């Protein structure tokens, strides 16, 4: 075995009822390496990690750490062997102090029990090492942001002198500054000889920080590549299993004429405001348009669409739907009017984890119909089968719990939930965040298709390339107000960046923002 190989997984196989999750998968991690584990949702990444950290028991294969065979039967045993995992949803105890979370189960002790002074002192030192110099380690962890909680989880791993650190989608909820801080810590750990397994859907982050890439597809190994030998186009093609031409063609397939003055105005906001988030805002959207909202974090994108849908009740201005003033006081009123809203936080605000795929699909229609007019089970099954097929939702059965599906398939279920209500106006806030490239493509193509059939859509994405492929018109926001619009030939990445940075003077086609 290569002396530089820290971790070696050989011929790993595991099955679940009706699904072969991994088939003879190999994975090798070297000392002082940041290694990306890539693949679509459902490719087997999470399963491979859970085999490594002891959550799942493999059916076949061997795992070696520093040349010694290991067989982790729990996350605690994996941690004792030097393998630590930091998940996207940090699994620490938010009611305990920061220091208690770092040392839980391994608190320094004195004659009278836990040596609190020593524990707090060591916690401060560990956090300083990961770039957190001004954290009160005696405060409950829950008082701090997700980014800080992730750093606390990494500090805990460092305290255990981990040899292998697994970072599972750690950047999904971080801003650019927080991501760079995390990357600096990863580079420090790499320089210290640690091996890091980095799972992410952000291709640019892989090329910014990783040394090697392993690609899985449908539970099988597609290859291990040095980063310099795998251009992005080839990576995407390897993940999807075919040449990646769909994304380039999405935009060209959109036939909506944004200048058609004869089309019906679906949405018209005049001086719409929400105290503390949205300044007087004007916006008109016509039938069949896909209008994007872009801007930096805190620009007001999500706050605006919540106000449009009355998830946050506007406190000024007027909102017109199909020419009539919409006097909604709560989201159900907006739904009855013909609107639908997919919020940014899928897990917190959309999926109902302990309900089946069928139940999650029909729940909005049931709410719209009324609790005293229950949909017949035959109708529920008919709708579930239709939208599972239409959206290519990968699920063993309509009765499978939604929490057992991959993130991308969960997102498709939620989109299906709203399509079942047959809306005329659909709001999609970060519909492709944290899902694989293939599913992103499907959702983008679906958006263009729905618009071509006459649906009106507001689309929000943090990925500018995705917006440019999908929208007909792009509204630029800053500090809760619109600073202009981009249309037609101005829909380029350079123009978008200039608009976000420079305000109205940089934006072609800007219209009144109600200042």
């Amino acid at each position: 075995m290569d002396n530089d190989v820290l971790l070696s997984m050989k011929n790993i196989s595991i099955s679940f009822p009706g699904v072969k999750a991994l088939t003879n998968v190999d994975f090798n991690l070297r000392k002082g390496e940041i290694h990306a584990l890539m693949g679509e949702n459902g490719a087997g990444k999470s399963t491979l990690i859970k085999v490594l950290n002891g959550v799942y028991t493999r059916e076949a294969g061997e795992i070696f750490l520093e040349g010694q065979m290991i067989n982790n039967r729990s996350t605690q045993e994996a941690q004792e062997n030097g393998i630590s995992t930091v998940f996207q949803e940090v699994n620490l105890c938010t009611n305990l102090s920061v220091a208690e979370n770092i040392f839980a189960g391994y608190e320094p002790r004195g004659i009278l029990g836990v040596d609190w002074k020593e524990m707090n002192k060591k916690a401060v030192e560990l956090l300083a090492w990961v770039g957190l110099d001004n954290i009160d380690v005696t405060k409950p962890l829950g008082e701090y942001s997700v980014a800080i909680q992730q750093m606390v989880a990494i500090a805990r791993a460092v305290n255990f002198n981990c040899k292998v650190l697994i970072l599972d989608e750690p950047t999904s909820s971080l801003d650019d500054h927080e991501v760079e801080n995390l990357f600096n810590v990863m580079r420090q750990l790499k320089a210290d000889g640690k091996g890091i397994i980095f799972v992410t859907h952000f291709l640019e982050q892989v090329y910014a920080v990783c040394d090697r890439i392993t690609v899985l597809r449908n539970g099988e190994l597609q290859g291990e590549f040095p980063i310099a030998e795998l251009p992005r186009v080839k990576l995407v093609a390897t993940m999807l299993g075919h040449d990646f031409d769909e994304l380039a063609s999405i935009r060209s397939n959109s036939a909506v004429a944004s200048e058609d003055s004869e089309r019906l105005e679906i949405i018209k906001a005049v001086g719409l405001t929400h105290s503390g988030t949205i300044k007087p805002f004007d916006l008109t959207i016509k039938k069949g348009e896909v209008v994007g909202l872009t801007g930096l974090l805190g620009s007001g994108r999500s706050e605006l669409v919540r106000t449009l849908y009355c998830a946050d009740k506007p406190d000024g201005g007027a909102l017109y739907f199909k020419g009539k003033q919409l006097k909604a006081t709560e989201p159900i009123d907006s739904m009855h009017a013909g609107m639908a809203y997919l919020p940014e936080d899928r897990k917190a605000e959309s999926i109902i984890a302990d309900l089946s795929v069928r139940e999650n699909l029909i729940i909005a229609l049931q709410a719209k119909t009324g609790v005293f007019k229950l949909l017949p089970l035959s109708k529920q099954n008919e709708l579930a089968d239709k939208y599972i097929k239409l959206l290519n939702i990968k699920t063993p059965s309509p009765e499978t719990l939604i929490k057992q599906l991959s993130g991308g398939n969960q997102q498709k279920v939620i989109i299906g939930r709203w399509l079942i209500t047959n809306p005329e106006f659909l709001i999609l806030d970060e519909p492709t965040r944290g899902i694989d490239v293939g599913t992103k493509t499907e959702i983008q193509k679906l958006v263009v298709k729905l618009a071509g059939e006459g649906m009106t859509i507001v689309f929000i994405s943090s990925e500018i390339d995705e917006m440019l492929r999908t929208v007909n018109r792009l509204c630029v926001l800053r500090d809760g107000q619109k600073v202009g619009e981009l249309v037609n030939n101005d829909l380029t990445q350079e123009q978008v960046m200039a608009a976000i940075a420079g305000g109205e003077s940089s934006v072609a086609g800007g219209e009144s923002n109600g200042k």
Side-chain angles (χ1 to χ4, degrees):
M1 183 177 294
D2 189 333
N3 290 333
D4 288 334
V5 173
L6 174 62
L7 171 74
S8 181
M9 305 178 74
K10 297 180 178 295
N11 299 315
I12 304 298
S13 296
I14 184 172
S15 298
F16 301 112
V19 179
K20 187 72 172 176
L22 294 173
T23 304
N24 299 324
V25 170
D26 294 345
F27 180 82
N28 297 292
L29 178 68
R30 291 162 175 77
K31 296 175 183 176
E33 175 181 69
I34 302 175
H35 195 133
L37 181 59
M38 303 288 289
E40 295 187 82
N41 282 10
K45 307 183 302 293
S46 294
T47 303
L48 187 66
I49 285 171
K50 289 177 179 177
V51 167
L52 177 57
N53 65 22
V55 175
Y56 293 156
T57 301
R58 63 189 182 275
E59 296 168 0
E62 299 173 320
I63 302 177
F64 297 88
L65 183 65
E66 295 184 314
Q68 300 297 312
M69 186 180 294
I70 60 172
N71 184 28
N72 297 324
R73 290 176 289 267
S74 67
T75 54
Q76 182 176 350
E77 186 174 353
Q79 200 166 58
E80 290 169 353
N81 280 327
I83 300 171
S84 293
T85 307
V86 176
F87 294 99
Q88 181 178 354
E89 289 83 22
V90 179
N91 55 342
L92 298 178
C93 300
T94 54
N95 59 313
L96 297 182
S97 73
V98 171
E100 287 174 296
N101 271 282
I102 294 174
F103 290 94
Y106 299 88
E107 299 88 348
R109 294 188 172 272
I111 298 174
L112 300 177
V114 175
D115 188 337
W116 296 97
K117 184 177 180 180
E118 180 66 14
M119 183 171 73
N120 291 337
K121 177 186 174 186
K122 287 186 175 180
V124 169
E125 293 172 353
L126 283 166
L127 290 174
W129 193 87
V130 297
L132 299 179
D133 296 313
N134 299 308
I135 299 299
D136 185 345
V137 299
T138 66
K139 284 187 175 181
L141 181 66
E143 293 188 13
Y144 293 103
S145 67
V146 171
I148 289 176
Q149 291 181 30
Q150 286 184 337
M151 289 302 181
V152 170
I154 292 173
R156 177 177 169 84
V158 170
N159 182 55
F160 281 115
N161 194 27
C162 74
K163 301 170 184 175
V164 175
L165 177 63
I166 305 167
L167 298 175
D168 188 6
E169 294 288 355
T171 64
S172 292
S173 301
L174 307 186
D175 64 26
D176 291 344
H177 174 74
E178 291 165 340
V179 168
E180 190 53 43
N181 187 40
L182 173 64
F183 285 0
N184 287 336
V185 172
M186 291 167 64
R187 293 180 183 112
Q188 290 181 59
L189 291 168
K190 170 184 171 178
D192 201 33
K194 313 294 186 189
I196 299 174
I197 302 173
F198 184 39
V199 181
T200 182
H201 288 104
F202 296 105
L203 301 188
E204 67 275 11
Q205 294 181 2
V206 170
Y207 286 88
V209 77
C210 293
D211 302 295
R212 301 178 74 82
I213 302 174
T214 288
V215 180
L216 302 181
R217 185 172 75 247
N218 296 329
E220 297 181 354
L221 176 67
Q222 301 304 304
E224 176 187 307
F225 309 89
I227 196 84
E229 296 178 11
L230 190 66
R232 296 188 191 200
V233 173
K234 184 179 177 183
L235 168 59
V236 173
T238 304
M239 290 168 61
L240 296 180
H242 52 75
D243 289 336
F244 192 57
D245 297 326
E246 291 109 321
L247 288 182
S249 66
I250 287 174
R251 175 91 182 127
S252 62
N253 289 337
S254 177
V256 177
S258 60
E259 298 300 323
D260 186 355
S261 61
E262 299 300 316
R263 284 183 298 128
L264 175 67
E265 283 186 354
I266 298 296
I267 288 289
K268 184 173 183 179
V270 181
L272 198 68
T273 64
H274 182 265
S275 181
T277 60
I278 299 298
K279 298 171 185 176
F281 199 101
D282 295 346
L283 178 66
T284 299
I285 311 176
K286 294 187 177 183
K287 184 178 178 66
E289 273 197 297
V290 183
V291 174
L293 301 181
T294 190
L296 301 176
L297 289 173
S299 63
R301 300 169 304 179
S302 296
E303 291 81 1
L304 173 61
V305 293
R306 288 180 62 85
T307 304
L308 289 174
Y309 191 67
C310 207
D312 294 331
K313 188 177 178 181
D315 48 27
L319 178 63
Y320 298 87
F321 186 72
K322 297 171 61 177
K324 296 182 180 179
Q325 187 166 359
L326 184 64
K327 297 183 181 295
T329 59
E330 55 186 349
I332 192 70
D333 299 328
S334 303
M335 189 190 304
H336 281 298
M339 300 168 68
Y341 167 48
L342 188 148
E344 179 180 12
D345 192 333
R346 176 175 68 238
K347 293 196 173 182
E349 299 185 73
S350 292
I351 71 167
I352 304 174
D354 291 321
L355 294 186
S356 68
V357 171
R358 169 183 58 80
E359 291 166 320
N360 270 278
L361 276 167
I362 63 92
I363 196 166
L365 180 60
Q366 182 63 76
K368 187 175 181 179
T369 305
V371 294
F372 298 111
K373 296 181 181 179
L374 296 179
L375 293 170
L377 183 59
S378 60
K379 182 64 173 178
Q380 295 182 34
N381 288 330
E382 177 188 337
L383 289 168
D385 290 342
K386 175 182 177 180
Y387 282 89
I388 287 171
K389 183 177 180 180
L390 177 68
L391 299 175
N392 192 28
I393 299 169
K394 295 178 182 177
T395 176
S397 160
E399 302 309 311
T400 300
L401 297 182
I402 191 172
K403 65 183 179 184
Q404 296 176 354
L405 272 55
S406 68
N409 284 299
Q410 289 177 4
Q411 192 74 308
K412 289 184 191 178
V413 171
I414 304 308
I415 293 174
R417 171 192 294 173
W418 290 111
L419 294 183
I420 284 175
T421 67
N422 195 28
E424 294 183 74
F425 177 54
L426 176 62
I427 300 168
L428 298 173
D429 191 353
E430 296 284 6
T432 67
R433 173 178 285 174
I435 64 176
D436 59 89
V437 175
T439 306
K440 284 184 180 185
T441 305
E442 291 183 54
I443 290 175
Q444 292 165 24
K445 291 170 73 175
L446 176 65
V447 167
V448 172
K449 177 176 180 288
L450 291 171
E453 294 170 353
M455 190 177 293
T456 305
I457 299 169
V458 167
F459 190 89
I460 299 175
S461 173
S462 297
E463 299 183 31
I464 294 175
D465 284 349
E466 177 175 56
M467 299 278 272
L468 297 178
R469 284 190 293 267
T470 310
V471 307
N472 310 108
R473 182 157 52 99
L474 195 59
C475 295
V476 183
L477 282 76
R478 189 187 312 114
D479 298 329
Q481 65 187 67
K482 184 169 68 176
V483 294
E485 293 185 0
L486 295 170
V487 296
N488 300 328
N489 293 335
D490 292 314
L491 280 170
T492 66
Q493 188 166 39
E494 292 74 18
Q495 287 280 20
V496 174
M497 297 302 292
I500 292 172
E504 279 185 302
S505 61
S506 301
V507 185
E511 65 181 50
S512 170
N513 57 24
K515 285 187 191 176

